[in-house]
Amino acid sequence: MPSSDHLLTIDSIDEYAATLHRGVDHLARHLSGLERPFSGITPADSAAKVDPIDLDGPTLDLEGVLAELSEVYLDDAVWFHDPRYAAHLNCPVVVPALLAEVFVSAVNSSLDTWDQSAGGTLIERKLIDWTARRIGFGAESDGIFTSGGTQSNLQALLLARGQACLAENDPTAPLAATLARLRIFATAESHFSVQKAASVMGLGAEAVVLVPTDHLHRMDPFALADSLASAAAHDLLPMAVVATAGTTDLGAIDPVDRIADVCRAHDTWLHVDAAYGGGLLASTRRRHLLAGIERADSVTIDFHKTWFQPVSSSAVIVRDAETMRHVTWHADYLNPKAAQLPNQVDKSMQTTRRFDSLKLWTTLRMTGADAIGDMFDTTIDLARELFWVLTDDEWAADFEVAMQPTLSTVVFRFRPAEVDPADASALNTRIRRELFAGGEGVVASTTFHGETWLKLTLLNPTATVGGLCDLLDLVRATGHRLLDTTGVTR
Ligand SMILES: *Cc1c(COP(=O)(O)O)cnc(C)c1O
């Protein structure tokens, strides 16, 4: 019998199993009927569905709640499972990880302390070690799962800050004065979470020094050396260099090995933001693109991007476990100093924390790392093929491509000869908006050399060149229709 409060207890196990089975059926049926990645609903129409629901009203039975969920959520969700979704760094997810999700939420372990997770703690630790070995770190390494790349980057930079403040061992210098002198070195292509972290840490976003890039939008190691020297000459304290292994837009990979040489010469912390490129750790064909990552002090990996894991799943991995102490805090009731138990809270910025790593565990046990790497490689192959397609005569008349992809993004724009360069940004902005409203395909837009371009982020290994050409055709048709109706021409 369903209980009125629906609490999962020993007595409601049958209800629990029946409810979940029914929910999975409902979702599976919805997915099998999916016609496009998005319904095209507007925020106003969505609000008209969500707003009237009275959360203090009478409760619903299972069928009632499923019907309502379809109405307010599923019917208009954005489906990353559809290969015509090619906008942001969201991936379709592997089934073994979804299996793990069932356990993660129902067992509801909290990974802060041993006494709330037991074996879960050891599973997480083993996955951290496994990832560290893939990076090339030794036995002294450590790390922790986080909610995403933003949090991983913040934690890495917090550890770097701790190390920089330790190194600045002038006991008479007030902390605030030291903080004001700290600088982080990144590029204009780095993820915005670097500036955000600087801001959160009280350094101000201005503490991030933008190092020039080369023609492929990668950090220039010579310019980095100059920037570091110049900072030192101005009595500033270089706290960390952030190299990006896979920039969010162009997929550019900074020359990590040469950057590591510069960091070593200047005794500066090297953080590698591999939120996107981290999937290459599993690649059997392109692992070399991450050469030098083993020389980093800290690395961000987003499993929920290129490892086909459901949100959230990310990790920050450090070369030297000792550095994790900068986030350690002892509470008498939770992890007292004398405890001697494997308490993950000592290494995390969170306290109560989901057992997200279990998803990677079941994935490695059922899918295997090579298959994950192959899936990511397939999307990179697709991006490369699409680049050549776009430079082909048939397409080149209508499209420009920013540069040859390194990973799985293609930055391009619709610009037939008759379009004035001054109108190209507005036109491509409108194309993206029209496409999203139509729901037949979802692409992203971004800024390239100060103008609005379109971006395909390919993370669906089941996509085909033919299918993606259909998507490009849709972009082209939309572009020409806008030109005909609005006359954005020279
Ligand atoms: C996506 C991304 C991030 C942020 O990760 P979230 O998981 O979205 O918080 C950081 N760095 C890079 C390079 C990224 O692509």
Side-chain angles (χ1 to χ4, degrees):
M1 276 309 284
S3 65
S4 60
D5 52 14
H6 302 292
L7 198 65
L8 173 57
T9 67
I10 309 289
D11 299 324
S12 62
I13 288 166
D14 290 346
E15 183 205 347
Y16 161 74
T19 304
L20 262 74
H21 285 139
R22 180 67 193 95
V24 170
D25 278 349
H26 184 80
L27 182 60
R29 199 163 336 132
H30 190 100
L31 274 174
S32 63
L34 214 59
E35 278 165 5
R36 44 193 181 160
F38 181 48
S39 71
I41 196 167
T42 63
D45 289 344
S46 185
K49 292 181 175 197
V50 175
D51 289 352
I53 295 193
D54 179 5
L55 296 175
D56 294 313
T59 57
L60 306 170
D61 62 9
L62 178 57
E63 293 309 316
V65 90
L66 290 175
E68 186 180 276
L69 278 177
S70 284
E71 169 79 6
V72 298
Y73 178 43
L74 299 180
D75 287 351
D76 305 303
V78 179
W79 297 95
F80 309 147
H81 317 61
D82 188 312
R84 289 166 299 175
Y85 176 88
H88 301 287
L89 278 165
N90 313 109
C91 54
V93 293
V94 288
V95 173
L98 297 176
L99 172 67
E101 282 282 14
V102 174
F103 299 101
V104 170
S105 51
V107 180
N108 201 26
S109 295
S110 179
L111 271 278
D112 42 345
T113 56
W114 169 261
D115 73 355
Q116 299 172 78
S117 63
T121 289
L122 302 185
I123 288 173
E124 174 167 342
R125 288 190 167 192
K126 196 172 168 87
L127 287 162
I128 290 289
D129 286 346
W130 181 86
T131 310
R133 290 301 99 74
R134 289 244 159 188
I135 290 169
F137 283 169
E140 271 72 58
S141 63
D142 204 350
I144 195 84
F145 273 75
T146 73
S147 62
T150 301
Q151 202 196 3
S152 294
N153 283 347
L154 172 61
Q155 176 157 353
L157 291 172
L158 199 66
L159 302 183
R161 187 184 75 170
Q163 289 299 101
C165 288
L166 272 185
E168 191 60 5
N169 53 1
D170 175 1
T172 62
L175 186 60
T178 306
L179 291 184
R181 293 168 55 218
L182 295 176
R183 291 293 179 275
I184 298 166
F185 298 79
T187 73
E189 315 281 335
S190 307
H191 194 262
F192 68 83
S193 54
V194 175
Q195 272 87 354
K196 209 166 169 174
S199 168
V200 170
M201 291 189 295
L203 312 181
E206 316 75 59
V208 180
V209 177
L210 296 183
V211 178
T213 49
D214 65 11
H215 66 295
L216 296 174
H217 300 265
R218 303 172 303 188
M219 183 183 283
D220 175 348
F222 294 102
L224 172 65
D226 288 347
S227 298
L228 287 166
S230 159
H234 289 88
D235 196 34
L236 299 170
L237 287 175
M239 170 196 119
V241 172
V242 179
T244 310
T247 59
T248 313
D249 277 340
L250 293 165
I253 297 178
D254 289 337
V256 177
D257 209 23
R258 300 190 51 206
I259 291 171
D261 289 338
V262 178
C263 287
R264 186 161 301 171
H266 290 262
D267 196 19
T268 303
W269 182 286
L270 172 58
H271 175 62
V272 176
D273 178 359
Y276 178 17
L280 294 173
L281 290 177
S283 168
T284 52
R285 288 194 277 139
R286 295 194 176 93
R287 171 63 179 81
H288 60 276
L289 292 177
L290 293 179
I293 194 171
E294 70 285 354
R295 299 175 66 194
D297 293 289
S298 56
V299 176
T300 288
I301 308 280
D302 259 5
F303 296 106
H304 61 213
K305 284 181 178 163
T306 46
W307 290 73
F308 307 96
Q309 299 294 294
V311 178
S312 292
S313 185
S314 176
V316 58
I317 315 277
V318 298
R319 154 201 302 290
D320 176 6
E322 277 287 299
T323 59
M324 296 292 273
R325 73 186 178 287
H326 297 297
V327 294
T328 307
W329 198 268
H330 291 284
D332 292 338
Y333 70 92
L334 195 65
N335 60 335
K337 258 198 179 120
Q340 299 294 330
L341 285 168
N343 290 329
Q344 295 290 80
V345 70
D346 295 350
K347 308 173 188 178
S348 177
M349 288 166 51
Q350 291 168 263
T351 306
T352 305
R353 191 163 52 87
R354 274 170 62 86
F355 188 14
D356 280 315
S357 53
L358 188 66
K359 297 179 285 195
L360 181 61
W361 180 274
T362 49
T363 301
L364 293 180
R365 301 304 293 144
M366 285 180 76
T367 305
D370 287 357
I372 293 291
D374 283 348
M375 288 199 282
F376 185 33
D377 269 331
T378 302
T379 65
I380 298 173
D381 294 341
L382 279 169
R384 297 197 161 199
E385 287 192 57
L386 225 56
F387 167 79
W388 290 113
V389 165
L390 282 166
T391 50
D392 204 80
D393 284 350
E394 189 218 331
W395 299 85
D398 287 317
F399 290 109
E400 274 179 278
V401 200
M403 66 181 222
Q404 190 164 345
T406 306
L407 296 179
S408 65
T409 57
V410 184
V411 176
F412 69 106
R413 65 175 172 175
F414 175 76
R415 198 171 87 70
E418 72 264 30
V419 174
D420 192 284
D423 296 329
S425 282
L427 178 59
N428 282 278
T429 302
R430 288 205 53 196
I431 291 174
R432 195 203 70 85
R433 216 185 300 141
E434 293 273 320
L435 231 59
F436 192 64
E440 296 287 336
V442 187
V443 305
S445 63
T446 190
T447 304
F448 183 65
H449 291 315
E451 303 201 47
T452 304
W453 288 57
L454 301 173
K455 176 171 74 164
L456 299 181
T457 304
L458 306 179
L459 283 184
N460 193 326
T462 70
T464 59
V465 175
L468 291 167
C469 285
D470 290 346
L471 182 56
L472 290 175
D473 238 346
L474 190 62
V475 172
R476 175 157 68 177
T478 308
H480 282 297
R481 183 166 47 76
L482 286 170
L483 279 181
D484 290 347
T485 53
T486 64
V488 197
T489 54
R490 197 157 24 204

